Amino acid sequence: MAKQLLGKEVVAALNERIIAKAEALKANGVTPTLGIVRVGENESDLSYERGATKRCETLGVACEKILLPEDVSQEELLATIDKVNKDDSIHGVLIFRPLPKHLDQAVIENALAAEKDVDCMTDLSMSGVYTGKKIGFPPCTPQACMEILDHYGIDCTGKKAVVLMLDDLGDAEETSENTAWIYDTDFEFLNDDSITQVICSGVRRTDYKVRLLLAGVPEEKITCVEKESDAANEVDLDKADTIFFLYDVYTTSYAAISKNTISDRMAERSAKQ
């Protein structure tokens, strides 16, 4: 029988832990600080920045913003990254991507020190993921999944269905905007025998499917749904003990609808048994 794992309770517990850790650090003279490096005025970046800033304020974490013009040179951006690498008062850094086309994104990503790479974008950070070594930070989406599982004490054995609801703000069918992150993200963790179904929903559903195929996920496990609001109806409850919804801040409302849909389907099925 499928079981809902709601994030609200997990977020509250995480907030409590993080706030306590931040206060303990401040008591010892250390103010935990996130550095944000933004190039230009991309609306998706601005929206993400507002969310990150608000989150930092809630948790008692300082946020230092380094804002650069759209036409910044590669040399100036690399010098900026070198500066934050050497700044001991900045403990983690977000560099918003994709970067303008005149910049070499791979070079810039790997210029950031792995121990400050909270977005897991450097090669060193990814090597830590695959070797199990504590190098940098893990990717946020799978780490969030693990936090949820740990909170509920869930044993990862058993059959699982995964629903992807990850469309970003401003996505459109006719553009290629904001797709680079899909190929930077570790979709390989979804190539697991215990995962019986992966449902890709939204504008980028075909991009997700391609990335899943590249990750080795069998095509017969992948279902594409045009609307996020319809994704929950495609979950095969007979093939899943646990259902995971992986969603972005922009698709929170769709995730809530989907969770309610799963609850209704489960209740209806139980009533018939």
Side-chain angles (χ1 to χ4, degrees):
M1 175 67 71
K3 176 182 179 180
Q4 278 196 94
L5 305 180
L6 302 179
K8 185 176 181 180
E9 181 182 327
V10 184
V11 170
L14 280 172
N15 284 353
E16 186 176 339
R17 280 164 42 197
I18 295 170
I19 290 170
K21 288 181 178 180
E23 290 176 349
L25 285 169
K26 290 175 185 177
N28 286 298
V30 178
T31 300
T33 301
L34 173 70
I36 291 178
V37 178
R38 171 165 54 83
V39 177
E41 302 286 331
N42 183 284
E43 180 54 37
S44 295
D45 292 345
L46 292 170
S47 178
Y48 196 99
E49 181 181 306
R50 288 191 291 269
T53 301
K54 184 177 180 180
R55 182 86 175 127
C56 285
E57 291 172 353
T58 299
L59 300 172
V61 174
C63 184
E64 182 172 332
K65 301 176 186 178
I66 302 167
L67 311 180
L68 300 169
E70 179 85 13
D71 61 354
V72 66
S73 68
Q74 178 140 322
E75 292 72 21
E76 184 180 353
L77 181 50
L78 288 172
T80 299
I81 294 172
D82 183 60
K83 184 178 179 181
V84 297
N85 283 343
K86 295 174 179 176
D87 189 342
D88 292 337
S89 69
I90 297 177
H91 306 99
V93 177
L94 277 174
I95 299 176
F96 290 150
R97 298 164 295 156
L99 294 167
K101 292 182 179 180
H102 70 280
L103 300 171
D104 189 327
Q105 184 161 304
V107 170
I108 290 165
E109 288 174 349
N110 284 292
L112 183 63
E115 62 269 20
K116 295 191 177 185
D117 175 23
V118 297
D119 210 17
C120 194
M121 67 180 185
T122 67
D123 292 343
L124 274 176
S125 296
M126 288 305 300
S127 73
V129 172
Y130 291 111
T131 62
K133 296 179 180 179
K134 293 185 177 181
I135 304 173
F137 295 82
C140 60
T141 300
Q143 180 63 27
C145 293
M146 295 310 298
E147 291 287 348
I148 293 171
L149 293 172
D150 289 345
H151 178 83
Y152 285 100
I154 298 297
D155 183 350
C156 286
T157 58
K159 298 177 294 182
K160 295 176 276 289
V162 178
V163 182
L164 302 180
M165 313 177 83
L166 302 173
D167 281 359
D168 207 344
L169 185 68
D171 269 348
E173 292 272 10
E174 67 275 9
T175 73
S176 60
E177 184 181 5
N178 298 328
T179 59
W181 69 269
I182 297 173
Y183 297 92
D184 289 335
T185 301
D186 176 23
F187 274 62
E188 278 69 17
F189 83 102
L190 294 174
N191 184 14
D192 188 291
D193 290 341
S194 67
I195 296 177
T196 59
Q197 188 179 22
V198 182
I199 299 170
C200 306
S201 65
V203 171
R204 296 297 170 206
R205 59 193 178 279
T206 305
D207 293 304
Y208 304 145
K209 179 177 181 178
V210 171
R211 181 65 182 89
L212 289 165
L213 291 172
L214 290 173
V217 178
E219 187 169 10
E220 60 267 22
K221 289 187 178 183
I222 305 170
T223 302
C224 288
V225 182
E226 180 177 358
K227 296 180 180 179
E228 288 96 337
S229 55
D230 294 334
N233 288 317
E234 296 298 322
V235 176
D236 188 340
L237 298 181
D238 291 324
K239 293 183 178 180
D241 300 311
T242 309
I243 301 166
F244 298 94
F245 289 91
L246 305 186
Y247 57 92
D248 197 276
V249 292
Y250 307 115
T251 50
T252 302
S253 59
Y254 291 121
I257 293 170
S258 296
K259 292 171 187 175
N260 290 334
T261 299
I262 290 293
S263 292
D264 292 343
R265 289 183 60 199
M266 290 168 60
E268 182 179 347
R269 193 169 84 158
S270 296
K272 292 180 180 179
Q273 291 177 344

